[in-house]
Amino acid sequence: MPQFPRSSPSDAAIPPVSVALWRRWWRKQSPSRQDRFIALGPLFAVMLFLAAVVAAFGYLRLEEIDREQQAVTRDVEYAQQRLRLRLLERQEQLMRIGRDVSNSEIDTEEFVIQAEALVNQYPELMAVSWIDSKRRIKASYVSPSANATELRPVGEQLKVGETDGTYELARDLRQPVYSRPLVVQDTRRYNAVSLQLQVPLDDQGKFAGVIMGEYSVDGLLRFGIPTEITAKYAVALVDDKETVLAGILPPPRKGAAQLLPWTDGAAKHEIPVSPVGNGLLIRAEGYRASQGAVGSGFFWLVSALSALTVWMLLGNWRHTRRRVQAQEALQTETHFRRAMENSMLTGMRALDMQGRITYVNPAFCQMTGLNEDELVGCTAPFPHWPDSELDTLMARLDDELQGRTPPGGFEVRVKRKNGNTFDARMYVSPLIDPHGQQTGWMTSMTDITEPKRIREELTASYERFTTVLEGLDAAVSVAPLGSEELLFANKLYRAWFDGLVCGHVSLIAQAGMPAAAPSDDALDAVDGMAGFPTDALTDAQTANAEIFVPELAKWLEVRSRYLTWVDGRLAQMVIATDITPRRHAEEQAAQQNERAQTASRLITMGEMASSVAHELNQPLTAINNYCNGMVSRIKAGQISNEDLLGALEKTSKQAWRAGQIIQRIRAFVKRSEPNRALADVSVLVSNAMELADIELRRHHVRLSHYIAARLPGILVDRILIEQVLINLMKNAAESIAHSARPTAQRNVELRVVPKLIQAQSVVEFSVLDSGRGLSPEVMERLFEAFYSTKAEGMGIGLKLCRSIVESHQGRLEAMNIYNGGEVVGCRFTFWIPVTPLISPAVAATNTIAGDGTGAPADISSNP
């Protein structure tokens, strides 16, 4: 062994202070450690050089292999898609023939003609047969190039194993089914491989047989795989047992290239052919020449030189390692065993073949409260066995010594030294000596008292939770997205829908809530949403909807939200509550509200009866005077035709005026169904003013108005809006009359203008009077039901007006008009949006909710 110099070989590259420290540290090292450093330095350098060379060669080779593998994978997937499309086209054509057969649109002769055209057009299709429900051949056409064994005479019955079970599967599933590749024995040439497609026939819901198409697997390869793929790769169709059905694959690589670690052959890839399944795979392997030993000469040269250098240094390194190997191994083993025994929480107990305890670890002693001297050497019954279970534990020990313990372990009761017991699970494995002979049994014991208690508490908690859900008066169901599996359903759901998932799906569909349809992955029990983030869905708010279920004759409020199920799948929970009584109450409230509005109009016209009578008296008096005058002048012979014609025209005009007044009143008080239509604001206001002006003249109040030009049309119930305007103008006149204003100050103004409120185009109606205004107490309770300041008022007139306006998505407000600090009048304002934000049906519901009086009201009452 060469002696290490007093100074390190690298002293020249280290500063003086560092050199002194280095020498001091080196002298403190033992000779063995110095020898190890001397040997490991060159060895490490050589190994690093070898690693760099191998890494360079390996990286380049792996990059090349990866490119080749990506290319072959892409091409094989393209070929599989072409083959899949070709199979699906043939399948669709056979299904079209099957539909014609099921509908009795073709007979056997026409079937043979279509089958012959199909077989002759597509050479991979060898035969098409019509088979009835009793497995008999009704009609068949076989390609002239097919094997003789594939000929199927009419009337012949299929054998049981001839279709590989696909006939029965198609009959049960009622959908097209592909068979596994079938080998057809042919004594003339070779064993041909065919593929069968069974398309079921349906006769008014009954199974009527199949249309069986037989493909040549070799034809599928020749005509289904693109030529550019077969030119680049060795392509073959194989089954799931790696048997080559069509095509050829290159033989395994031989020669010196096998010596290289990375020469694992050319790139290859295989993929199942859809829709056949895993029974038929397309495999492609690239044509690639071997590199050979000569092409890798540089690698072998570097490897040989490096190996020689390493071998020369191994002798210098091996004897140094051997000097400390035995001592370090002994110390390591001793420390490892001691650390393992002291750190384990699982109790370990060793038994010999006679059932005597030969070893226990500290954890076992700590569990039982017994020390090692009290346990080692004991035979059954052991001191940690409970007295009440000696027979059971003796039987367990006998099974343990005979090797009859279950792989999953078994539960036992263990007694501590203080008399307490706990639950434990034991696992048993044999002890084998270096000669391969069994010397006993090793038993591991784990305290399961706490896990068992937690499991029992979880079970009790689940039972309580299930009891609560079963007692709910709402149907609760949970189902995963994209699947037809029902994960949970409570008692009411099972009573309504018989525990079927169709009820869950129907509720979601009727409520208009999103739910993915079952996909191919879902049918294969694969979660198609696995790996996607679901926090945004599960944290979303609950979606509500009210639907009517004809099957149950009930109105249901459906609430839905997403949640993550216990197995990690994204699921959708639906809670359906019966709201039929509430809907009936709302419908009754709507009817009562409509009756209240009609009664209010009648009451209004009743209060205006004297004014209407006075208004009608004028044209009727004029008609009477004209008629009496004409009668007198006719009797006296003092009237000409021109005078008579003028008098009749004036009489007709007065009669038309009286008719218009009656027609307006009749249209106003007539009961009708709510009817919203696009109304002209000018016409609507004019009609209301004609009726209200009668009452205003009775109170000696002058009505002025301003209607903006080119007002947009609004979608309203014309009668209801006229009712609101008449009521507000009538209340304004009564307020002026009660305030005893002089004639010059008895004014009511109606203004109709367009506005923009809350970024929404509206039409604003304002009624301004010159009365005394509203006190703060009255203003606070202005729209409160059954509150009125008039002795004869019912106190619901303004309440109904507000409900009507809000049902049109508008708002009614009131405020006093001030002149300095004096109240000189009051202004009632309401607006209607030009374009409603919600549907009329929802607005009607809001109207019902806003007014639940249930009785006819006096709409004309004003505080």
Side-chain angles (χ1 to χ4, degrees):
M1 178 188 302
Q3 297 295 324
F4 193 82
R6 300 299 298 176
S7 62
S8 173
S10 58
D11 286 350
I14 304 177
V17 178
S18 300
V19 170
L21 295 175
W22 169 256
R23 288 177 176 176
R24 186 181 307 169
W25 175 84
W26 180 259
R27 293 191 188 99
K28 292 181 180 180
Q29 306 303 317
S30 62
S32 61
R33 189 176 296 273
Q34 293 178 358
D35 293 341
R36 184 180 303 174
F37 286 141
I38 294 174
L40 287 179
L43 180 62
F44 177 78
V46 173
M47 296 302 295
L48 186 62
F49 171 74
L50 285 176
V53 173
V54 172
F57 282 110
Y59 172 80
L60 295 177
R61 178 57 182 152
L62 290 176
E63 188 177 27
E64 180 184 0
I65 292 175
D66 184 66
R67 287 196 301 269
E68 294 177 355
Q69 186 63 40
Q70 290 179 2
V72 71
T73 301
R74 182 172 57 254
D75 291 338
V76 169
E77 290 177 351
Y78 168 71
Q80 189 267 354
Q81 288 295 329
R82 288 284 300 273
L83 186 57
R84 172 177 175 273
L85 292 176
R86 196 173 184 91
L87 286 173
L88 290 178
E89 290 176 357
R90 304 297 87 73
Q91 175 181 328
E92 181 63 25
Q93 292 170 340
L94 292 178
M95 290 175 65
R96 190 179 301 113
I97 296 176
R99 285 193 295 269
D100 294 341
V101 172
S102 299
N103 297 332
S104 301
E105 296 179 2
I106 62 174
D107 54 7
T108 55
E109 295 181 358
E110 181 64 25
F111 171 83
V112 172
I113 294 174
Q114 294 188 15
E116 180 180 1
L118 195 61
V119 171
N120 293 336
Q121 184 177 0
Y122 304 104
E124 72 273 14
L125 191 60
M126 301 303 296
V128 178
S129 303
W130 177 2
I131 305 173
D132 63 10
S133 59
K134 297 182 180 179
R135 305 174 65 92
R136 288 195 299 266
I137 307 296
K138 294 191 64 176
S140 177
Y141 180 80
V142 181
S143 173
S145 61
N147 299 332
T149 56
E150 295 180 354
L151 297 177
R152 303 188 185 278
V154 176
E156 180 181 347
Q157 189 170 16
L158 293 178
K159 299 178 182 179
V160 175
E162 192 172 357
T163 61
D164 193 30
T166 54
Y167 180 90
E168 293 77 7
L169 193 59
R171 178 188 60 196
D172 296 337
L173 299 179
R174 301 294 179 89
Q175 63 182 11
V177 177
Y178 285 88
S179 70
R180 298 167 59 86
L182 303 176
V183 179
V184 181
Q185 302 294 332
D186 186 3
T187 56
R188 297 179 304 172
R189 294 183 298 171
Y190 55 88
N191 294 336
V193 182
S194 65
L195 182 70
Q196 295 181 356
L197 170 60
Q198 307 281 351
V199 178
L201 302 177
D202 185 87
D203 184 10
Q204 298 181 354
K206 297 181 180 180
F207 178 73
V210 299
I211 300 297
M212 183 175 69
E214 298 179 81
Y215 297 88
S216 169
V217 176
D218 184 69
L220 289 176
L221 178 65
R222 287 192 297 162
F223 302 103
I225 306 300
T227 56
E228 62 269 19
I229 303 299
T230 56
K232 294 170 59 178
Y233 308 100
V235 183
L237 294 176
V238 300
D239 59 9
D240 54 352
K241 297 181 181 179
E242 302 296 324
T243 303
V244 177
L245 305 177
I248 57 172
L249 293 176
R253 298 170 60 84
K254 297 181 180 180
Q258 289 290 339
L259 301 177
L260 295 176
W262 56 77
T263 54
D264 54 349
K268 58 185 177 181
H269 184 67
E270 65 180 17
I271 187 174
V273 177
S274 177
V276 178
N278 295 329
L280 183 64
L281 298 90
I282 178 173
R283 178 183 296 174
E285 184 172 347
Y287 296 108
R288 185 172 175 275
S290 173
Q291 290 183 347
V294 176
S296 304
F298 177 72
F299 170 80
W300 286 111
L301 179 61
V302 173
S303 300
L305 293 177
S306 301
L308 181 61
T309 304
V310 172
W311 179 80
M312 293 174 63
L313 293 174
L314 282 178
N316 188 28
W317 176 66
R318 188 179 300 126
H319 81 279
T320 303
R321 198 181 80 178
R322 287 176 179 175
R323 291 175 57 180
V324 295
Q325 183 176 7
Q327 182 179 359
E328 290 180 351
L330 180 60
Q331 292 178 351
T332 301
E333 182 68 20
T334 303
H335 294 161
F336 174 76
R337 290 179 59 87
R338 184 178 296 112
M340 182 177 64
E341 292 180 2
N342 295 334
S343 63
M344 286 183 60
L345 298 178
T346 301
M348 305 296 296
R349 181 195 68 184
L351 301 176
D352 59 14
M353 299 302 294
Q354 288 73 36
R356 182 181 294 105
I357 297 178
T358 59
Y359 166 79
V360 290
N361 70 339
F364 192 92
C365 297
Q366 184 178 2
M367 288 183 183
T368 59
L370 303 170
N371 56 40
E372 185 176 358
D373 297 335
E374 293 174 326
L375 291 172
V376 175
C378 292
T379 58
F382 299 126
H384 58 274
W385 282 3
D387 297 335
S388 60
E389 300 186 12
L390 291 179
D391 296 337
T392 303
L393 293 174
M394 285 295 295
R396 289 282 190 184
L397 179 61
D398 183 65
D399 292 340
E400 183 177 349
L401 296 177
Q402 298 298 326
R404 296 194 297 264
T405 56
F410 55 89
E411 292 186 12
V412 296
R413 297 286 296 175
V414 180
K415 183 179 69 174
R416 293 189 174 94
K417 189 175 183 179
N418 58 8
N420 296 333
T421 59
F422 64 92
D423 294 315
R425 177 171 289 275
M426 291 188 171
Y427 302 89
V428 182
S429 61
L431 284 174
I432 307 299
D433 63 6
H435 303 289
Q437 299 296 325
Q438 182 177 351
T439 59
W441 300 91
M442 177 62 71
T443 304
S444 63
M445 181 176 68
T446 305
D447 186 357
I448 62 170
T449 304
E450 186 64 17
K452 190 173 182 180
R453 182 187 64 81
I454 295 175
R455 184 167 61 250
E456 292 174 352
E457 291 181 355
L458 289 176
T459 302
S461 176
Y462 172 77
E463 292 177 355
R464 291 193 297 269
F465 179 71
T466 304
T467 302
V468 172
L469 289 182
E470 291 290 341
L472 288 178
D473 58 351
V476 182
S477 61
V478 181
L481 293 184
S483 174
E484 296 185 354
E485 176 187 4
L486 191 62
L487 299 177
F488 176 81
N490 69 344
K491 181 179 179 181
L492 187 58
Y493 179 91
R494 297 193 299 271
W496 284 353
F497 303 105
D498 297 329
L500 301 177
V501 73
C502 60
H504 179 94
V505 177
S506 176
L507 291 176
I508 294 176
Q510 293 187 52
M513 300 172 182
S519 60
D520 294 338
D521 289 342
L523 299 178
D524 293 338
V526 177
D527 189 357
M529 298 189 179
F532 287 91
T534 60
D535 295 341
L537 286 176
T538 55
D539 295 341
Q541 296 182 353
T542 304
N544 296 350
E546 294 183 3
I547 63 173
F548 180 75
V549 181
E551 297 81 0
L552 303 176
K554 296 178 183 295
W555 279 94
L556 300 180
E557 180 183 17
V558 180
R559 290 170 291 173
S560 171
R561 71 168 299 153
Y562 298 99
L563 52 85
T564 302
W565 196 242
V566 293
D567 57 1
R569 287 185 291 175
L570 182 63
Q572 190 172 19
M573 178 176 66
V574 174
I575 303 175
T577 306
D578 186 3
I579 59 170
T580 304
R582 191 189 78 188
R583 291 296 295 241
H584 290 168
E586 291 175 352
E587 292 174 0
Q588 292 176 1
Q591 295 174 0
Q592 292 174 355
N593 187 58
E594 181 184 350
R595 289 195 294 269
Q597 294 170 0
T598 303
S600 175
R601 293 195 294 271
L602 291 173
I603 292 172
T604 301
M605 294 310 303
E607 294 176 351
M608 297 169 58
S610 60
S611 300
V612 172
H614 176 73
E615 188 72 15
L616 288 174
N617 187 51
Q618 294 180 5
L620 292 178
T621 301
I623 292 173
N624 184 46
N625 293 336
Y626 284 133
C627 291
N628 290 335
M630 286 187 293
V631 170
S632 300
R633 295 182 64 180
I634 290 174
K635 288 181 179 180
Q638 299 176 355
I639 187 171
S640 62
N641 291 336
E642 290 79 5
D643 295 336
L644 180 61
L645 181 60
L648 288 176
E649 289 178 350
K650 293 179 179 179
T651 302
S652 175
K653 184 177 181 181
Q654 294 298 325
W656 177 84
R657 178 186 173 191
Q660 285 294 106
I661 295 174
I662 295 174
Q663 183 178 358
R664 294 294 184 194
I665 296 173
R666 181 177 180 275
F668 179 72
V669 301
K670 181 181 178 182
R671 177 186 177 92
S672 61
E673 296 295 329
N675 180 23
R676 295 195 181 191
L678 193 63
D680 188 340
V681 177
S682 301
V683 175
L684 185 149
V685 173
S686 298
N687 293 339
M689 289 173 54
E690 288 183 13
L691 292 176
D693 189 52
I694 299 173
E695 183 69 10
L696 268 64
R697 288 201 303 271
R698 185 172 70 88
H699 291 290
H700 305 289
V701 175
R702 183 168 58 88
L703 175 64
S704 61
H705 67 277
Y706 170 75
I707 302 176
R710 294 188 297 275
L711 285 172
I714 55 177
L715 187 65
V716 295
D717 190 319
R718 181 181 58 80
I719 297 298
L720 294 180
I721 301 301
E722 288 180 6
Q723 181 178 353
V724 174
L725 288 172
I726 293 172
N727 181 70
L728 294 180
M729 288 187 288
K730 177 176 172 293
N731 287 347
E734 292 176 352
S735 177
I736 294 174
H738 292 161
S739 63
R741 295 284 190 182
T743 304
Q745 298 179 6
R746 302 169 74 91
N747 299 318
V748 172
E749 181 182 1
L750 172 63
R751 296 179 59 85
V752 183
V753 295
K755 274 195 173 183
L756 188 66
I757 299 179
Q758 297 177 357
Q760 184 180 12
S761 298
V762 302
V763 176
E764 184 184 71
F765 301 82
S766 299
V767 177
L768 297 86
D769 62 60
S770 57
R772 296 298 183 184
L774 302 172
S775 64
E777 295 79 8
V778 175
M779 184 71 75
E780 183 178 356
R781 305 181 61 185
L782 184 63
F783 298 105
E784 183 178 332
F786 307 111
Y787 174 75
S788 176
T789 58
K790 295 188 299 183
E792 70 280 4
M794 296 181 63
I796 61 173
L798 288 177
K799 173 67 175 177
L800 283 177
C801 288
R802 187 177 189 179
S803 299
I804 292 172
V805 173
E806 290 180 350
S807 71
H808 290 80
Q809 302 104 63
R811 180 175 297 178
L812 173 62
E813 298 173 343
M815 64 182 67
N816 289 326
I817 302 175
Y818 293 89
N819 184 8
E822 180 185 2
V823 177
V824 296
C826 183
R827 178 172 64 187
F828 280 82
T829 302
F830 71 92
W831 52 263
I832 302 295
V834 175
T835 303
L837 297 178
I838 57 177
S839 64
V842 178
T845 304
N846 295 336
T847 305
I848 295 171
D851 180 26
T853 60
D858 180 12
I859 197 172
S860 63
S861 61
N862 183 36

